[in-house]
Amino acid sequence: MKNSIKFIGESDSRVGGYLVLWGSDQKRDLHGEYFTPETQFYLDWFDKRPFLYHHGQDNKMKANIVGVIDTVKADEVGLWAEAQLNAHDEYVQAVRELIQREALSWSSGTLGY
């Protein structure tokens, strides 16, 4: 399954994709780690989360918020996330182009410990 962020709905302002795909001891990510449906994500701690490009570590964009993640829900595949892009952000067109090319995917931002 390709895990890229895609446009959803009728406009190029709403995006979605799997933030996390469920894994197992036999099905690990590139860092040798995995999440299961039993993983505690504390999804009820926040209603919205910032949508940052490259964890806010891009030298040009820095911690510029290009949108707001307003939906995160678990299903049988993993954690599905949706965001509303900030139409007034100076970098949002570049982000749209990357999404169109299926060149972006979500990151859980989890530290490996």
Side-chain angles (χ1 to χ4, degrees), residues 3-76:
N3 198 24
S4 55
I5 298 172
K6 297 179 177 23
F7 292 111
I8 56 176
E10 309 253 336
S11 73
D12 64 352
S13 294
R14 188 108 183 122
V15 297
Y18 279 98
L19 173 68
V20 166
L21 297 174
W22 302 138
S24 67
D25 221 11
Q26 295 75 35
K27 186 178 174 185
R28 296 172 177 266
D29 66 17
L30 295 174
H31 299 282
E33 300 167 336
Y34 64 92
F35 298 101
T36 70
E38 290 75 34
T39 302
Q40 179 54 264
F41 291 99
Y42 301 100
L43 297 178
D44 57 338
W45 281 15
F46 305 99
D47 292 333
K48 298 178 182 179
R49 296 159 179 84
F51 178 0
L52 303 172
Y53 174 76
H54 196 60
H55 297 271
Q57 296 183 16
D58 181 77
N59 287 333
K60 186 171 185 179
M61 293 177 68
K62 306 209 182 300
N64 201 58
I65 298 173
V66 296
V68 175
I69 301 168
D70 56 17
T71 302
V72 181
K73 56 187 173 188
D75 65 17
E76 66 280 349

